[in-house]
Amino acid sequence: MVIKDYVKAWEGCLVGRVHSYRACLNQARVMAKPTSPSSLTSTWSSRLEITIFIPIKAVNYTLRIIGGPIDYVFFHITQFNNFDVYDHLMSKSLCAKIELPSHIIILSTTESKHHFLGIIFPRDTIFVEPV
């Protein structure tokens, strides 16, 4: 997957836990649109931790309700110790939620195990699954 016209906006560690006995540690780089505000990622810690997994249906439904996110970014996984998170998201139709002081990042899978789409939402967004 080639991420054209995007610029490096963050680099650090992405941590997720699918199994209680093993964490998934990934070195990651975030690529953002050149028009994205520089403040979007400037306050992110060098370690981003997945807090919960939520259904893709809830993310898509919430996107329709609120009219769209703040921004989109791509997470490029540069080093990894396993594919647990990617496989878990794919097999169960889930997204991963990362909570930050000012934003929520929702990670969804792409065709490549080395890339995730990051959808940036305001911190107070509540994800609702359709009935």
Side-chain angles (χ1 to χ4, degrees), residues 23-92:
C24 180
L25 301 169
N26 299 304
Q27 272 304 116
R29 179 179 303 133
V30 166
M31 307 299 289
K33 296 179 285 193
T35 55
S36 297
S38 60
S39 61
L40 183 68
T41 59
S42 64
T43 60
W44 292 8
S45 166
S46 62
R47 178 184 168 105
L48 299 180
E49 192 148 348
I50 295 169
T51 55
I52 195 167
F53 297 101
I54 60 177
I56 289 174
K57 285 182 181 180
V59 174
N60 291 336
Y61 186 69
T62 302
L63 277 168
R64 282 195 299 272
I65 291 171
I66 67 171
I70 292 174
D71 215 334
Y72 292 95
V73 296
F74 283 102
F75 278 75
H76 175 208
I77 307 303
T78 56
Q79 291 181 353
F80 47 88
N81 67 340
N82 61 58
F83 290 118
D84 286 354
V85 170
Y86 182 88
D87 292 340
H88 183 67
L89 297 178
M90 285 296 284
S91 67
K92 300 199 184 283

